[in-house]
Amino acid sequence: MDLTFRVTARIARPVAEVFEAVVNPAELSRYFTTGGAKGRIETGATVYWDFADFPGAFPVWVKEVVPQQKIVFEWAASEGQPDDGAPVATVGYNTTVTMTFEPLDDGRTLVAIEEHGWKETPAGLKASYGNCQGWSQMQCAMKAWLEHGLNLREGMYK
């Protein structure tokens, strides 16, 4: 059994604009990475994402980019923030994230995000739920940003 989830959202913008909002660190920092993003997402790159709610830049190892179609990357698994509020610790393995971008007939873009690779343990299952929530929030924040210029995450975590 592979712990996997998939979330989708429809963004009322063309694929090129939605794709650029993810691969461009300046754009990603405006609605998602509350502590900033460093590095453009390109095949073979290592970029860094920082989140106010999980301080410390996370390395993101980009495995594959098909412009305006797909992004595949790995990052270190974390199995949740300790109850004492200490920094999140990685646990010695990676998960894989695949984002796909599909143009729809009405001009919108279907964005799907799938993540898999957690260990089949209670902690791994809990961590997968947390990341599922995070990717759903990312899609909502991206939609609000691209369609309305609103940053839903501003001030939410600090």
Side-chain angles (χ1 to χ4, degrees):
M1 178 173 149
D2 185 22
L3 295 179
T4 301
F5 65 80
R6 183 174 188 263
V7 295
T8 61
R10 287 159 182 78
I11 311 291
R13 290 290 182 264
V15 167
E17 186 177 339
V18 176
F19 188 84
E20 184 65 16
V22 176
V23 298
N24 182 330
E27 285 296 308
L28 195 65
S29 297
R30 299 181 118 199
Y31 68 89
F32 180 54
T33 53
T34 52
K38 293 185 176 129
R40 185 173 179 86
I41 295 176
E42 299 173 324
T43 300
T46 299
V47 301
Y48 294 88
W49 292 351
D50 199 349
F51 301 91
D53 49 332
F54 295 104
F58 290 86
V60 174
W61 301 285
V62 183
K63 300 302 180 185
E64 179 184 10
V65 175
V66 179
Q68 300 182 28
Q69 293 179 25
K70 179 168 69 169
I71 299 166
V72 180
F73 66 83
E74 291 182 3
W75 60 354
S78 69
E79 292 189 353
Q81 189 162 9
D83 292 334
D84 63 5
V88 172
T90 58
V91 289
Y93 66 95
N94 297 336
T95 60
T96 301
V97 176
T98 301
M99 298 180 171
T100 58
F101 304 80
E102 179 185 337
L104 300 174
D105 291 339
D106 60 6
R108 296 182 302 164
T109 300
L110 177 64
V111 180
I113 302 174
E114 181 176 289
E115 188 167 3
H116 68 91
W118 287 275
K119 291 190 176 175
E120 296 175 33
T121 63
L125 182 61
K126 182 178 179 184
S128 73
Y129 289 164
N131 279 30
C132 184
Q133 175 186 348
W135 289 122
S136 294
Q137 287 180 352
M138 183 267 202
Q139 289 178 324
C140 290
M142 180 168 49
K143 182 174 182 68
W145 176 253
L146 291 176
E147 293 181 12
H148 307 287
L150 299 172
N151 183 344
L152 296 180
R153 293 172 62 90
E154 185 174 348
M156 189 169 185
Y157 298 105
K158 62 177 181 174

